[in-house]
Amino acid sequence: MSTASLPPVAPEVLAEAVEQLTARLRKKLDATVAECAGRAAEGPDGTVEVRFGEDTLVTLRPGASGAVTGPEQAVCTCLLAPRCLHRAAVLGAAPIADGDVLPPSGPPSPEPPVSGPVAPDPVAAGPAASGPVAAGAVAESRPEAPGVPEAPGVREASEVPGTSPSPAQVDAGAALWRAAAEALAAGVTAGGTVVQAELLRAAHTARLAGLPRAEAAALAVVRGLRTAREQGREQRLSDLTAAFRELLAGAVLLASGTAGAAAGPGRRAYEQGGALRVLGLCREPVLSATGYGGVTTHLLGPGGVFHTLSDVRPGGLARAKGAGTASVALGGGVLDHAGLARGGLLIAGATVSADGRLGAGRDVRATPVRGADWSEEPVAALFARPVREAVTAVLDAADPRGGAAPLLGCDVEVLGAAGDHLAVRVLGGGPVVRLCVAHPHPELPHTANLRRIGGFPGLALRVLGRPDPDRAATLRPLAVGPVPGAAHSLRLPEEWRGRADLGYDRLQGDHFPRPAPDAAPDGVAGAPVQAGPDPLADAPLWRVRRLLETGVAGGRRAVAEAARGADRAALPVPLRRAGLTVAADLAEALAAEADRRPRDSFGRLKDASSDAYARAWLASAVHLHAAERSLVTASWS
């Protein structure tokens, strides 16, 4: 279904429209929503019209923000309006508006001393933007939409030191829990517009209570349900499972009167950073499934703190390729991103977000300074840290919302090609690590560069990349350079300052050392090598993952059916044999709760509450996430 011409709709507007429908009309809502595909047409004065037959016309009048934010902006000409099926269906077919374009709600928050335009977040464009382009994740998996400036200074009260959730926030958390539990029990197959409307109403309640992150988590689930029901290619079931886990975990913390990272701030507060000297590390192309493209330049600040400077705008692949040499929009700096990645900046009046993003306020001033080679301090310290210790710190510091992890540096020796990746060994007796393509789009040079590197077994390589938190000992390299003092290493041009950005620079034959006489021709990979054991793939935890994803796809009934019958022991027995007794117990408890069929005093079946089922599902999901993260960390030993 295409809703490209329909304006975004505020969550509360859709929720109210669905609530006004009778039970009979609600049963017809999903089918009517599907009929809206392709019916939208541009009307006079910027309106959008959807016609149902000859006498029924639904008109949407978006406001100055481009979104429908009030019920009076959606009207229908039928006799039942505004409590009609046509109006609710059109609103249900429209995309959900982000909080950035909605009128301000919730308790006021202090503004930072200096704030400027916020560059779009490459992570906000979804995992397809900051991770692999073909990872298949939808852009709405993060609270912020790419290209939409964020309102600075918004913080949740639960994250302010010395405070706890207010009664309104506790009530909002309880409402989120109830709506999320019902949506989880329904699953994708039954998670239609009515179920989504309950989630949207709870999201609006969270927004009014000053919980933008909780609101964003609920909107992420709604968007995931929509995309999955439309069988969109960009939606992975694992992403929707993670979205449900985050929403339920945050809701249960809020509802209990405690809040942690799962209910943290949803938008970045840019704070005064004073004078700041940053050194360029590398550039990374940004390409989202929603048509946004650009570049992110990774920087190193005092104390080894990572910073980023992004330039992401509509334009897709062409924008991502051209932005690598675009000018840096920061304090009148004269550098472009290519120069900044190999140079540095001295910033006066810097504004910095909690995750290290640099803001571009009108009072920010930036002066180019000399950068540092990877062999010079403080950059060299990134590659001197023991890899197991570095990976543990990187994974612990990763954004709990599923954002991009910080960068990891290590020196490796190329072993050769191993399937869809390169096998390398960390120098100094370290583990065998898989190098996977960070951005597999064929128009970007990542794949070609890694393929050429794989043709030089024994090559010593300095790698800077992002560890994959979902795969054992896997690094997605963003840039490479020669290992200082190594005889068989890269020979890069002097103007590259000892590094090659794999997303923009193309490695050529003269950048590599001469191969031995009996070696394969330049750039030609030899025989495949064994990448080493994969504890995550070898563990039977995939059975728990499949059970959880089955519940997300088919709802509570699907979990009960999957664990019923002659194969009931196929789930816990392999887990207990592998020593994963807690995972086995939680999976059995989930299956038992899904299959529980309570009866009334007359012995008649009645609907079971979704609360206990959601708690069982969440317990198993949280344990699975922790167990998989532990195995990934151990694989780097």
Side-chain angles (χ1 to χ4, degrees), residues 213-265:
R213 170 113 182 249
E215 176 203 18
L219 296 185
V221 171
V222 172
R223 293 184 176 113
L225 286 172
R226 287 188 170 193
T227 308
R229 287 176 62 84
E230 295 167 6
Q231 298 181 349
R233 293 182 179 180
E234 67 275 16
Q235 176 63 42
R236 295 187 304 175
L237 194 57
S238 59
D239 296 328
L240 184 54
T241 302
F244 264 112
R245 184 188 68 238
E246 180 183 344
L247 173 59
L248 289 169
V252 75
L253 286 174
L254 287 169
S256 63
T258 60

Side-chain angles (χ1 to χ4, degrees), residues 386-481:
V387 66
R388 170 65 185 272
E389 177 185 334
V391 166
T392 302
V394 166
L395 295 181
D396 289 344
D399 190 338
R401 290 175 290 179
L407 301 186
L408 170 71
C410 59
D411 294 340
V412 302
E413 177 187 359
V414 177
L415 302 179
D420 61 345
H421 57 269
L422 295 184
V424 300
R425 183 181 299 277
V426 177
L427 295 179
V432 175
V433 177
R434 301 162 179 82
L435 296 186
C436 290
V437 177
H439 298 265
H441 195 286
E443 294 294 328
L444 297 175
H446 285 276
T447 302
N449 283 332
L450 274 191
R451 185 181 297 116
R452 182 171 286 274
I453 292 172
F456 292 87
L459 180 72
L461 205 62
R462 177 158 281 189
V463 181
L464 185 66
R466 183 176 294 112
D468 191 332
D470 299 322
R471 297 183 62 175
T474 300
L475 186 67
R476 299 189 179 275
L478 303 179
V480 296

Side-chain angles (χ1 to χ4, degrees), residues 309-329:
L309 188 61
S310 300
D311 181 7
V312 182
R313 302 175 186 176
L317 178 62
R319 181 74 176 80
K321 295 170 68 175
T325 55
S327 298
V328 174

Side-chain angles (χ1 to χ4, degrees), residues 91-491:
L91 293 174
I96 301 299
D98 289 300
D100 305 87
V101 300
L102 300 179
S105 298
S109 302
E111 294 292 332
V114 178
S115 63
V118 180
D121 188 355
V123 180
S130 61
V133 176
V138 67
E140 290 81 4
S141 62
R142 285 286 307 277
E144 308 90 348
V148 179
E150 300 166 342
V154 180
R155 300 177 67 90
E156 291 197 7
S158 59
E159 280 294 303
V160 178
T163 65
S164 59
S166 65
Q169 290 175 331
V170 172
D171 293 341
L176 277 172
W177 172 265
R178 291 191 296 269
E182 293 296 333
L184 179 66
V188 172
T189 54
T193 307
V194 175
V195 173
Q196 295 169 22
E198 293 301 321
L199 274 171
L200 293 176
R201 178 170 293 281
H204 179 61
T205 303
R207 181 169 179 267
L208 294 178
L211 299 170
R213 170 113 182 249
E215 176 203 18
L219 296 185
V221 171
V222 172
R223 293 184 176 113
L225 286 172
R226 287 188 170 193
T227 308
R229 287 176 62 84
E230 295 167 6
Q231 298 181 349
R233 293 182 179 180
E234 67 275 16
Q235 176 63 42
R236 295 187 304 175
L237 194 57
S238 59
D239 296 328
L240 184 54
T241 302
F244 264 112
R245 184 188 68 238
E246 180 183 344
L247 173 59
L248 289 169
V252 75
L253 286 174
L254 287 169
S256 63
T258 60
R267 300 167 191 151
R268 297 173 181 82
Y270 279 73
E271 299 177 353
Q272 180 67 38
L276 183 66
R277 181 188 176 98
V278 293
L279 302 173
L281 294 175
C282 65
R283 295 169 293 168
E284 178 183 8
V286 176
L287 184 61
S288 78
T290 54
Y292 287 82
V295 63
T296 290
T297 298
H298 296 271
L299 309 162
L300 186 67
V305 177
F306 287 100
H307 297 280
T308 57
L309 188 61
S310 300
D311 181 7
V312 182
R313 302 175 186 176
L317 178 62
R319 181 74 176 80
K321 295 170 68 175
T325 55
S327 298
V328 174
L330 181 66
V334 296
L335 284 178
D336 58 18
H337 281 273
L340 178 58
R342 294 177 170 92
L345 285 177
L346 180 60
I347 308 173
T351 55
V352 186
S353 71
D355 61 354
R357 287 185 61 200
L358 298 178
R362 64 176 179 272
D363 296 328
V364 177
R365 296 293 179 267
T367 303
V369 296
R370 180 186 180 276
D373 292 342
W374 282 6
S375 58
E376 301 174 358
E377 296 295 343
V379 180
L382 298 177
F383 305 93
R385 194 175 186 182
V387 66
R388 170 65 185 272
E389 177 185 334
V391 166
T392 302
V394 166
L395 295 181
D396 289 344
D399 190 338
R401 290 175 290 179
L407 301 186
L408 170 71
C410 59
D411 294 340
V412 302
E413 177 187 359
V414 177
L415 302 179
D420 61 345
H421 57 269
L422 295 184
V424 300
R425 183 181 299 277
V426 177
L427 295 179
V432 175
V433 177
R434 301 162 179 82
L435 296 186
C436 290
V437 177
H439 298 265
H441 195 286
E443 294 294 328
L444 297 175
H446 285 276
T447 302
N449 283 332
L450 274 191
R451 185 181 297 116
R452 182 171 286 274
I453 292 172
F456 292 87
L459 180 72
L461 205 62
R462 177 158 281 189
V463 181
L464 185 66
R466 183 176 294 112
D468 191 332
D470 299 322
R471 297 183 62 175
T474 300
L475 186 67
R476 299 189 179 275
L478 303 179
V480 296
V483 176
H488 195 68
S489 191
L490 291 175
R491 303 181 300 183

